[in-house]
Each structure stands twice: as C-alpha cells, then as structure tokens.
Amino acid sequence: MVSVARLERLAVAVVAVTLLLTGPFGVVDATARNPTTVGDGRANATVERLDTSGLIVEGGRFGTGVDYLRIPDATVSVSDIEGRPRLVYRVSVPELGVDRTTTQLLSGGQSGTVRLGMRDRGLDPDGVTEQRYRATITVRVQSFEYDQTVFAADETVEVRP
Amino acid sequence: MNGDRSSGVDARSRSVWSDRLSRYADRAGQFVFGDAIGLTLWLGVVLLGALSWRVGFFITDTYPIANAVANLADGRLAMTPPDFRYSLTLGTQPGLHEYGGRFYARNYGQVVAALPFLWLLEGASAVAPPRLVLAGGWALGVVGLGRRLAARFDRRWLRLVAVAVASAWFAAAVVLATALDRSQLPLVALQLSTLAAAGLVAVSCYRLVGAFHDRRVAVAAGVALALATPVGFWATIPKRHVLVTALVFGSAFAFARSRQLDGRASHVAHGLAYGALGLVAWVHAFEGFFLTAALFVVDVLTEPRKSRRRLAVVGGIFALSVLPMAVTNVLINGNPLRPPRLLPGVGPESVELAPTGGPESGGGDGGSGTAGGDADADSTSGDSTRPLLDELFGLLSPLFVLLTLAETVLAQLVFIGNYAVAAVSDGVAAASEHERLWEIFVRRGDSASLSGVNDYEPIDLSVVESTPIVGTLLALPAVAAVHLRRHGVAVSRLGPRRQTDLLVASYAVVLTLVYLPRLPLFSQLTVRYLLPAIALASYCPFRLPAVREAISGAPRTTAGVYAGTVLAGPALVAVVLGVLDPALGEAIQFHALLGLCVAAVAAVLVVGRTVAPDRVSPRSVAVGVALAGGATTVYLSLASVVYFAYGPFAFDVVGLIARLVPIL
C-alpha cells in the first residue's frame, strides 16, 4: 500500500517539476493556451436573444434610493472562430450619459452560444426627467483586423414609475 | 585519522548550527503564532482568503503604495514620474506626496512589509511562471494544512483529502493558466502581505481570547475575526487597514500577557504592547499616535508595577519601534516626526486623518504660529521649507544641530498635540449627531450614492450591516448592569482580563472618535476607516458570557450552523438574486438588510440569554451567533467572487466558477 506521506511527497515533487518545466527554462508555455487579450481573427455570430423590451428605467429596490437603467443580456451564437476576436455588446443612452460595453473574448475551437451579461446602470433620480429616452444597441465581432456589426437597433427606453 | 576527525567535527558543528537555527525558527514561530493551533489557524485563513483574491487595483489609493513597493525593491525611496509602474499620471494616484520635487507614497511600514514577499515571488518567478507559483504555493499550503489538521484531530484521511485537493487544484491551474506578467509582482506581493496580516489578525485574536478563556472559544474568535468581519473583505485589497488591525491586536495581546506575567517576560510584553503601536505609526502616524495615547492612559490608570527597570524596557522597545518611522521620515523630508501624510499631496483630493500643512506653514487650522522656528525666508510657497538635512550639513556645531533638531521635534509635537485635541473634540461633537451615527452604524442609506460617486451605486454598508456579530454587543448594558450589581467598580482593582477589556474599549473608542467627523463617506464599503475598531468590537462578543457559553456548550451547533450558512448561503443568495436580477447596488443592499435581520436575531438571543438564562438555551444563542457570522462570510465571498470584478483572479479556477454565478 502506498503511504500518505509518499503521496504527499509525490504531489510536492509533481508541483515542483511542473513549475520548472513551464518556467523560463522549461519546455512548455502553460499560459499560451489561454489568451486573455484580443488579437487578430474573425468569427460568425448571430444574436439569438436580446429582449430589447427589457431596456427600461425603474426605481431601485432594497432601499437603494437611485434609479436604474435595466439592461437585458444578449445571447449570441458563434461559429467558425479563427484567431482571437471578441464579441462587443454596447448600449448607449446619450441623454442619460450612459455608454456601457461588455466584451467576451472568443478563442478557436469554441462555438455555440455565448451569454453577454451587462450590469444595470445606476442613475441620479433627479436626472431622469423624461418619459422616454433613445437608446442604441449594437453587437459586434471585433479584432485588430476585423469589425463586423451583427446587431444594431435604435430602441426606446421607457421610464417606469 | 586526521581527515575523518575533522569532517566529524564539521558535521558536529553543522548539526549544532542547524539545531540552533531550528531552535531560533521555533522560537520565532512561537513568538508570532503562539502554538500549533495558531499556525494552523493562520494557514487556514490565508488559504481561504486567497480564494477570493483578484490581482488588481480596487481603490486608486493603492497605486502609489504599489509604486513605492516596486521602487523600494529597486532601492529607490524617492520617485520621479518615469519610475511609476502603475498608473502613470500624477492625477490618478490619491495619497502621492511631493517633497523637494520628488514623489513619495505613504504607509511605508506597509510598503516595507511587502518587500520580503516580493523577493520570494521574484525568486520563484525566475524559474517558474508567476501564475503557477501562486497555484503551487497554495497547493503546498493545503498539503501542509492537511498534515496539521490530521495530526490535531488524529484523522489520517484528512491528509489524503488535502493531497487530492492540492493535486486537483494545481492540475486545474496548469490547464487554465493565463499569463500573469512579472510587472504585476509588486502588487501581488502587497496583496500577499495584507493577506498574511489578515491571518495574523485571526492568530492574535485567538491568542488574546486564549489568554483568558478556553481553547474552543479562542479558535472560534480567531476564525470569526478573519472570516466573519470585514477583515476578510480587505485581506487581499491591500489597504493599510488589515495591517493596522493586526498590529492593534498584537498590542492588545501583548498588553494582556504583560498583566498576566511577572518579571522580565512581563516587562518585554509590556514593551511590545507599545512597540506594535510604534509600527502602526510607520503605517499611519496619526493612528499610531492616538492608539499610543490611549494605551498610555489605560496603562497609567491600571499598572501598579512601575519599576525603573520596567520603564527602561518599555521605553527602549517603544523607541526602537518608532525608529523605522523616524528614519523613513528623515530620509524623505529631514524631519523625523513629519510623516509623508503631512507633505503636500499631488493626487486627487483625498480624505485624510492628518492635519493640513505643518508647523512650518505658520498658521492654518490647529498649526501653532510660534512653531515656525526653521521656516525659510526664501520659500516659494507657504509650506515648503529647506530640508532640515541640508541645514544640518551646513551647521558645524553638533550642539547647535541637536538644538535645532530638538526645536523641530518640539514644534512638531506641539503641532501634533494641538491637532490631536482638535480631532478628538471634533469627534466628540460628531458623536452627538444621531443621523450620522445611524448612517455609520446601523443603516447606511443612499446619501453617498446620490452624490454620483461610483456611478450612483449604493455599495457602502454600515457597521452592523457588514458585521452583524457586532450587533450582539447590545447585550453589553445588560451584562454591565448584572456585573455592577454584584461587584461594583474600581479601575485600580481590575484584573488582567478587565484591564484588557478597558484597553480594547479605549482603542475602539479613540479610533472611532477620530474618524467620526469624516464619516459617512463614499467608497467605504464596510466602513473601512473603522476596520480596526470593528475588529476590536468583534472581539468583544467573545467576552460576553452568553456567547462563550454558547460556543463551549454547543460547539457542534456553532460550527455546524456556521459551516452550513457558509456553504449553503452563497447558493441560496445566488438563487434568490438570480431570480430578482438585481443591479450591483441592489444586491449589496439586499445583503445589508439580511445582515440587519440576522444581527437583530443574534442580539435578541444574546440579550435574552444574559437577562433570562432559563428562557434561552446556549444552543439557540449558538445558532444566532453562527448565523450572524455566516452572513458576513457569505457577503465577503460573493463580494469578491461576483460583485466587485476589479481584476482577474489570482487563481483562474475561481474565475471559471465565478462565470457560472449569474447574479448581476
């Protein structure tokens, strides 16, 4: 039977050897597989779900005392990814001074649906004076060499009491 | 034979040396951690705290500190703009100070504390990728923790579990590894230093409680301090607060030991109580000053043993402990008592616990006009003066040098004294404003968010909202009434335990008072200015008989309910909030209301147990207190994993998990 102490020593040894192998003098770059920054590349994307009626202004709950611009999630299906492009989901409501962007890096081999969530935006309740605002929503595939808008819409943001 | 004999001597001397070294290491370990449980506690807290670690800047105040770590590691105290590694411009670094055309950070005690961690990281990163160095360190820590727990509870399988967890963790880290640039290492080191300090908060609290009560209560208090108070929130956000908290607890523990021990050990412990505060002054001079004043008053009131020898030891240790601060200040601006915080700031406006200007500025609020002894005629602006060092070099007579130094020091002391009186009286005045107190301690409200800071998000919590276990202190009047009816009161006859209570209360009160006029303030998150005071207040429940009986009488209930809350809580909250789909501020205010509710429950149970022990069982008190502690832990875990996404996680695995939690 293998003793626990031997297992511990083995684990420590494996960690040490792996560290050396992936280090500056090693043979493998462990981080190359998992890029975190956008590069060159392209992808096909179509917006599957973006409930624009969810784009509204309403009062905050739980005693927050501010208003919120509620921003719906976007569900995008992607295919044929080459290189390292990214998805950019952008919502802007100029009259409220809101311009929000969320991005998601795509990498080769990944396909299927991607959910782009965007946080609601807090607003000064005194700054919300109109009943309606104009908003622009876009979803793009973007890389250093490529920029394709796959969804663009002008929407009306309703202010709910 | 000759050669054999000499190699035998070599081996013997080597073994003597290694014996001696390991003895020193043991003693150092004992000095810091106390015993094996203390070390285990520290390791556990550090490993758990690391899970929520994000490598990034949560608050812009951290830029100058991290820049100072990077520069000091390169041997530079003074910085010029090309030396900034993080945030390249001046306007984005609150807490950056200028003197003589060069730039300095503040909190140099904190900066220096991060250096050993930086050296370790730099060394390891020379042969391995930084990201995996962190993962490997964590995995080895888990193996070590497993061994300690297995030995403690006599359960061999714990070691197996630890090896399995560590291996899986490291394997996942290798598969998911993203790049962590070596330029980030000073920031990582700074975060590691505050994480280690958070572990020390737990250890010091464990030792402090352990000095008076049984081990179970002590361990519970240690765990609670790190995980059920905002100490855990700030563990990897490298502000000064956790480090100051660790030193303050170290001071309180040393004080308690000095009252329990006799002879030389007592003298040294007494000195260390002051020494820890001298180091606080290196991090934040004014916090150190106010704390030292509080300790001095309590000390004089309660210590009957004032031998000359004791005074010499205490004075010596305290003088040694303020030396690093004095040397740093001299190197920066020539005046040992003028910390960087008193130099002109170049970053954006920040709220400071420090007077504006200095004694040399000749006027201003609280500055004494007569103290402008060495003010220059040729100064270009009101508060710029020629460095004292220049003057010292120019002066030939050593006596005159001493006189000048004494005058500067005296002027600075008068200035600081005036400021201190003003700060405390402002605090007392602010303490009578009920609305302010309500916002700081009970319900935070939305006043700060409505001013537009942080995108109108109400992300701040009050003291009780963020630390519900403090709510149990509502039982204090009841406890005091019961005690007074039985024993009466006499400060001079207090035992070590009560003397320490008095000290802890004084620390908490003075730290609260001086910050009251500056609060409520934006970006406090958990009223961070009060973090040391909140931590001290969180120690107090463990002195309440009702809470202690609950922990020692129903340890399984306490641990079970806490563990259950911590494991099930985040999932429950995630499900509820997943349905409600809140904004960031709403999610945080949801936790605020939750915190207030459990605080109320815990408080009612503890008061009930104190007033009518027959009606409320220790078990129900245990449930209440464990729920209150668990509520904070749940908030801390969700806050770092989901709510505040200010940088990539130190461990990519956590990032993967965080993406699966669809709350916001």
Side-chain angles (χ1 to χ4, degrees):
Chain A
M1 207 186 96
V2 189
S3 75
V4 184
R6 196 169 290 174
L7 274 179
E8 284 170 350
R9 276 200 294 275
L10 183 69
V12 172
V14 167
V15 166
V17 170
T18 315
L19 283 178
L20 289 177
L21 285 180
T22 52
F25 306 112
V27 288
V28 202
D29 181 1
T31 62
R33 257 196 332 270
N34 302 300
T36 53
T37 50
V38 67
D40 282 340
R42 53 184 60 212
N44 288 331
T46 46
V47 172
E48 276 189 355
R49 223 174 88 84
L50 208 172
D51 180 15
T52 51
S53 65
L55 194 69
I56 54 168
V57 172
E58 63 177 8
R61 296 162 288 178
F62 309 119
T64 41
V66 295
D67 283 352
Y68 280 105
L69 173 68
R70 307 284 180 197
I71 304 176
D73 293 349
T75 310
V76 181
S77 78
V78 288
S79 58
D80 304 327
I81 301 168
E82 295 167 20
R84 283 183 287 135
R86 64 178 187 178
L87 285 172
V88 181
Y89 171 32
R90 180 174 182 185
V91 172
S92 70
V93 187
E95 292 158 284
L96 289 171
V98 174
D99 190 359
R100 286 222 144 169
T101 303
T102 187
T103 63
Q104 169 79 51
L105 192 68
L106 304 171
S107 50
Q110 173 192 8
S111 65
T113 53
V114 175
R115 186 176 144 271
L116 291 159
M118 195 163 349
R119 293 183 171 199
D120 300 342
R121 168 70 148 80
L123 301 168
D124 181 2
D126 293 335
V128 182
T129 49
E130 310 291 321
Q131 291 301 305
R132 293 191 154 67
Y133 290 95
R134 301 295 300 162
T136 314
I137 304 175
T138 54
V139 178
R140 283 146 62 200
V141 180
Q142 190 187 52
S143 77
F144 287 148
E145 53 170 23
Y146 184 79
D147 191 351
Q148 177 81 43
T149 302
V150 296
F151 181 91
D154 286 330
E155 288 294 329
T156 305
V157 182
E158 201 183 316
V159 179
R160 297 207 180 148
Chain B
M1 279 181 289
N2 224 354
D4 275 352
R5 203 183 301 152
S6 82
S7 79
V9 170
D10 267 5
R12 215 173 305 141
S13 84
R14 221 175 308 144
S15 88
V16 165
W17 270 106
S18 73
D19 272 3
R20 200 172 285 176
L21 263 181
S22 78
R23 240 197 348 264
Y24 282 137
D26 282 353
R27 282 172 83 175
Q30 207 176 13
F31 178 76
V32 178
F33 302 108
D35 54 18
I37 298 182
L39 180 55
T40 310
L41 187 61
W42 182 83
L43 196 55
V45 165
V46 168
L47 291 173
L48 275 177
L51 292 181
S52 61
W53 177 5
R54 287 175 184 267
V55 180
F57 291 91
F58 183 61
I59 288 186
T60 48
D61 306 14
T62 305
Y63 284 128
I65 314 280
N67 277 328
V69 174
N71 278 278
L72 203 57
D74 289 345
R76 269 191 308 275
L77 183 63
M79 296 182 279
T80 54
D83 300 327
F84 296 144
R85 185 173 297 183
Y86 309 107
S87 190
L88 306 178
T89 57
L90 295 175
T92 49
Q93 303 188 46
L96 190 69
H97 298 272
E98 185 188 358
Y99 190 82
R102 311 269 199 107
F103 299 100
Y104 300 91
R106 50 190 183 181
N107 308 0
Y108 274 96
Q110 193 190 354
V111 173
V112 172
L115 287 183
F117 294 95
L118 181 56
W119 294 328
L120 271 178
L121 287 169
E122 295 270 14
S125 300
V127 291
R131 179 75 70 192
L132 294 184
V133 167
L134 296 182
W138 197 88
L140 295 189
V142 167
V143 171
L145 184 66
R147 289 178 68 111
R148 303 196 144 269
L149 289 176
R152 178 83 217 154
F153 296 108
D154 201 18
R155 300 269 190 284
R156 220 168 71 106
W157 56 266
L158 282 171
R159 284 170 73 175
L160 264 180
V161 171
V163 170
V165 169
S167 310
W169 185 265
F170 190 71
V174 172
V175 172
L176 299 169
T178 56
L180 176 63
D181 199 80
R182 288 187 60 166
S183 67
Q184 298 286 313
L185 290 183
L187 171 63
V188 172
L190 194 58
Q191 293 180 303
L192 263 180
S193 72
T194 49
L195 181 60
L200 285 183
V201 172
V203 172
S204 302
C205 186
Y206 156 75
R207 297 178 74 186
L208 179 57
V209 175
F212 302 128
H213 303 294
D214 79 68
R215 194 167 270 172
R216 276 186 183 142
V217 179
V219 171
V223 172
L225 251 286
L227 304 180
T229 73
V231 167
F233 188 96
W234 300 100
T236 49
I237 300 176
K239 300 283 299 162
R240 68 170 188 277
H241 311 294
V242 170
L243 190 58
V244 169
T245 307
L247 290 169
V248 168
F249 264 96
S251 169
F253 172 65
F255 177 88
R257 292 304 285 160
S258 82
R259 290 332 198 223
Q260 288 181 322
L261 298 167
D262 285 313
R264 217 185 95 207
S266 169
H267 299 346
V268 172
H270 196 166
L272 290 173
Y274 281 92
L277 301 185
L279 293 178
V280 170
W282 198 16
V283 179
H284 190 307
F286 291 93
E287 287 185 354
F289 174 81
F290 286 114
L291 287 165
T292 309
L295 171 58
F296 183 74
V297 171
V298 173
D299 199 13
V300 168
L301 281 178
T302 57
E303 177 58 88
R305 302 169 291 178
K306 296 184 182 83
S307 68
R308 200 172 295 170
R309 192 162 173 174
R310 191 177 191 90
L311 289 180
V313 172
V314 172
I317 294 180
F318 184 61
L320 270 181
S321 74
V322 292
L323 202 60
M325 174 198 69
V327 168
T328 308
N329 293 345
V330 166
L331 288 175
I332 291 176
N333 67 71
N335 183 337
L337 290 184
R338 182 158 60 168
R341 279 172 194 272
L342 287 184
L343 303 175
V346 286
E349 277 292 303
S350 60
V351 181
E352 276 279 14
L353 176 64
T356 47
E360 294 90 347
S361 66
D365 58 332
S368 70
T370 54
D374 57 352
D376 268 350
D378 62 350
S379 60
T380 48
S381 74
D383 53 2
S384 81
T385 53
R386 211 166 66 202
L388 180 61
L389 268 185
D390 287 0
E391 261 176 40
L392 294 184
F393 289 133
L395 295 170
L396 291 173
S397 154
L399 188 68
F400 200 63
V401 170
L402 271 180
L403 273 177
T404 316
L405 187 69
E407 193 189 351
T408 313
V409 167
L410 202 67
Q412 194 74 13
L413 279 177
V414 168
F415 173 68
I416 292 171
N418 279 338
Y419 166 68
V421 171
V424 171
S425 57
D426 283 356
V428 172
S432 61
E433 298 170 31
H434 299 127
E435 207 170 314
R436 185 197 293 266
L437 295 183
W438 177 262
E439 278 206 18
I440 296 173
F441 291 101
V442 187
R443 181 75 176 119
R444 181 61 172 84
D446 48 26
S447 60
S449 56
L450 287 178
S451 64
V453 200
N454 297 322
D455 279 354
Y456 295 98
E457 287 287 13
I459 53 174
D460 296 310
L461 298 178
S462 74
V463 170
V464 175
E465 283 168 352
S466 59
T467 325
I469 52 170
V470 170
T472 57
L473 294 185
L474 277 180
L476 266 182
V479 173
V482 168
H483 181 82
L484 284 181
R485 200 155 5 124
R486 278 190 212 147
H487 307 287
V489 68
V491 172
S492 55
R493 284 193 288 110
L494 295 179
R497 222 187 284 186
R498 302 264 177 235
Q499 291 183 19
T500 309
D501 289 347
L502 187 64
L503 180 75
V504 167
S506 309
Y507 280 171
V509 166
V510 78
L511 282 176
T512 307
L513 266 190
V514 294
Y515 278 114
L516 271 192
R518 290 162 181 79
L519 297 169
L521 185 70
F522 57 87
S523 297
Q524 287 288 301
L525 285 307
T526 64
V527 208
R528 63 187 163 89
Y529 280 179
L530 296 188
L531 185 68
I534 292 174
L536 290 166
S538 307
Y539 151 79
C540 296
F542 297 92
R543 291 278 298 114
L544 295 178
V547 173
R548 285 205 314 275
E549 285 160 17
I551 293 166
S552 40
R556 277 169 192 275
T557 310
T558 314
V561 172
Y562 178 71
T565 313
V566 171
L567 291 175
L572 267 176
V573 172
V575 168
V576 171
L577 290 185
V579 172
L580 292 171
D581 191 20
L584 174 64
E586 289 176 316
I588 288 170
Q589 294 308 313
F590 177 82
H591 283 279
L593 298 175
L594 213 60
L596 285 180
C597 289
V598 291
V601 170
V604 166
L605 288 169
V606 173
V607 172
R609 173 79 192 163
T610 308
V611 179
D614 321 328
R615 296 257 184 96
V616 183
S617 68
R619 191 175 292 258
S620 42
V621 175
V623 172
V625 173
L627 271 179
T632 303
T633 316
V634 169
Y635 175 65
L636 299 188
S637 56
L638 286 174
S640 54
V641 173
V642 185
Y643 302 152
F644 299 111
Y646 57 92
F649 286 99
F651 304 115
D652 296 300
V653 189
V654 187
L656 193 72
I657 297 166
R659 277 202 290 280
L660 301 175
V661 187
I663 294 185
L664 300 180

